[in-house]
Amino acid sequence: MSAGTAQRERGADGLRAPLRRRRFRLLYAGQCLSRTGDFVFQVSLAGYAVTAGSPALLAYTLFGQATGTVLMLLVGGALADRFGARRVMLGADLARVLATAGVAVQVAAGGHEVWAVAACGLLLGLGDGAFEPAFTLAFTELLPKAELLAANALQSIALRTAGIAGAALGGALLAAVGAGGSLALGTAGFALALALVLVAGRWPVPDRPASGEGLLKEATGGIRYACANRWLWVSIASFGVSVALVVAPAKALLPLASADVLGGGAGTYSLLVGSQAAGALLGGLLVARLRRIPPGVLVFGGMTLVCGGFAVLAVSSAVVASVAVAVAVGAVLSAATVAWAATLQSRVPGELIGRVSSVDWLVSLGVSPLALVVVPQLLAYATATTVLLTAAVVALLVSAATVLVPDVRRLAWPLTAPAS
């Protein structure tokens, strides 16, 4: 490899490369603000529900949001593929501004109706479900393929940083200006993101010939494409298993397991969560340097290590070792998910990315609630440590087997657009 070629590859892989593009900078800045505002809103709403003795406010908002997200994901990708990422993101952000503002107004007024809160939550979820596949598509419309890994790493860093900053800011605002004011400032994050997408202006998008099908039938195109490509359906299914058996249940099982083997109660669990978040931030920073590893090996080799890490966390009785493992789990999980997003964007034809992304999101989001419902039933027969350890070992074997699937193992970072 010549020195010039190596320099170009380093430039493409570097985190700064996507930020040299004005439209991406604006979109990225908007998402930093939007994600932070989202966390401010969540923390403010939860804090208000607890202090005001209004658990129904939180419950109905979250129920409406989850319902709206799943419903919109069924067609959100098709909308993005048909109308382009920018239009759908603008509509999604507008819906989220109206929804969060509606909740803020009700809280500031000192009362709320169940139907009104649920409606705001539903509108918020519809916005979320439309935004995510459109945002995935926007990366491919704005950036060359060589910069997708770096762009997704930046997105991961923004999400982790927003989680830390938004949670702290939400608590501070709740104490300083009250629930109405803090919720309104959370809404401002979505409004600023909407404004920055408008400032970015229209960007050129590839020609996507109309299919002539109705929206619902067109939405199934992502499912048909995934089923026709073994590397894709195997990958999505494997991720679903990891989420269903480990990633989602760990939120309920790890606090109990850590209390059993580590002691220390909520403080110890909080330390593990913080360590995992710090590791996730580190993983986002480092993943762009791992492009020499084939994507299938990076993603599912990483998920194998993640599942193994959760198995260790289930039985570890040493706090220092558990903290180190939590950091590693956060870092590898972050790197694997970033690499998966870039693989999806690189390998799927441009006219189908939104719909395939919807399928991917649906599998992950669909299995999470189901897994959390099953957990209490299992705890009637076994300890949290046993359940988490068993689930982690099974998911580890599935992830390891996924690496061995030829179509997955042989994936490469493509230099040209895939054929339609």
Side-chain angles (χ1 to χ4, degrees):
M1 180 185 295
S2 68
T5 302
Q7 185 176 4
R8 284 194 299 273
E9 288 193 0
R10 286 194 297 270
D13 290 349
L15 289 178
R16 289 178 294 181
L19 295 175
R20 296 190 184 104
R21 303 178 187 276
R22 175 181 173 274
R23 287 194 175 99
F24 180 82
R25 283 200 308 273
L26 290 169
L27 182 63
Y28 182 65
Q31 285 317 293
C32 290
L33 294 168
S34 173
R35 304 291 187 184
T36 302
D38 191 23
F39 281 104
V40 168
F41 182 84
Q42 292 178 33
V43 170
S44 301
L45 185 63
Y48 173 78
V50 171
T51 57
S54 302
L57 176 70
L58 179 61
Y60 284 115
T61 303
L62 293 177
F63 173 78
Q65 183 178 7
T67 302
T69 299
V70 172
L71 289 175
M72 181 53 74
L73 278 173
L74 295 172
V75 296
L79 288 172
D81 287 334
R82 178 181 288 192
F83 298 109
R86 182 176 181 270
R87 289 182 181 179
V88 176
M89 286 192 296
L90 288 172
D93 275 338
L94 179 59
R96 298 194 291 188
V97 168
L98 294 174
T100 52
V103 175
V105 167
Q106 292 183 72
V107 169
H112 59 272
E113 296 288 341
V114 169
W115 68 266
V117 170
C120 288
L122 180 66
L123 184 59
L124 180 59
L126 291 172
D128 290 341
F131 184 86
E132 294 300 345
F135 190 58
T136 300
L137 177 60
F139 278 32
T140 67
E141 292 179 344
L142 292 173
L143 300 170
K145 292 183 182 294
E147 294 178 9
L148 289 174
L149 185 63
N152 283 284
L154 287 169
Q155 170 63 7
S156 177
I157 293 168
L159 180 59
R160 310 303 175 184
T161 304
I164 297 169
L169 186 58
L173 289 171
L174 189 62
V177 300
S182 59
L183 289 169
L185 287 170
T187 300
F190 290 118
L192 288 171
L194 172 63
L196 287 173
V197 176
L198 285 171
V199 169
R202 295 180 181 178
W203 56 73
V205 298
D207 290 331
R208 296 178 182 128
S211 66
E213 300 175 337
L215 186 63
L216 288 177
K217 188 174 182 180
E218 191 174 321
T220 64
I223 299 174
R224 294 197 299 269
Y225 181 82
C227 292
N229 290 269
R230 184 166 59 176
W231 73 269
L232 187 53
W233 70 257
V234 167
S235 298
I236 291 175
S238 180
F239 255 120
V241 169
S242 296
V243 172
L245 293 183
V246 179
V247 179
K251 295 177 182 179
L253 293 172
L254 191 55
L256 301 176
S258 62
D260 288 341
V261 297
L262 290 175
T268 302
Y269 176 65
S270 177
L271 179 61
L272 294 180
V273 171
S275 300
Q276 189 174 338
L281 186 59
L282 178 64
L285 289 168
L286 296 179
V287 67
R289 300 177 180 272
L290 302 177
R291 193 181 174 93
R292 291 186 178 181
I293 302 175
V297 176
L298 178 57
V299 172
F300 293 102
M303 291 307 298
T304 302
L305 294 176
V306 166
C307 295
F310 275 109
V312 172
L313 289 174
V315 299
S316 173
S317 58
V319 174
V320 173
S322 295
V323 167
V325 171
V327 171
V329 164
V332 177
L333 181 59
S334 176
T337 52
V338 166
W340 170 244
T343 302
L344 201 68
Q345 292 161 339
S346 300
R347 305 290 305 187
V348 174
E351 68 273 13
L352 283 165
I353 287 176
R355 281 168 284 177
V356 172
S357 177
S358 283
V359 174
D360 186 38
W361 277 98
L362 267 174
V363 171
S364 297
L365 293 179
V367 300
S368 295
L370 179 62
L372 292 171
V373 168
V374 170
V375 164
Q377 313 306 318
L378 295 176
L379 292 179
Y381 303 97
T383 66
T385 298
T386 301
V387 173
L388 181 56
L389 177 61
T390 303
V393 170
V394 172
L396 181 153
L397 294 174
V398 171
S399 296
T402 305
V403 179
L404 300 178
V405 175
D407 289 358
V408 174
R409 188 178 68 253
R410 294 170 185 165
L411 285 173
W413 298 110
L415 300 178
T416 59
S420 299

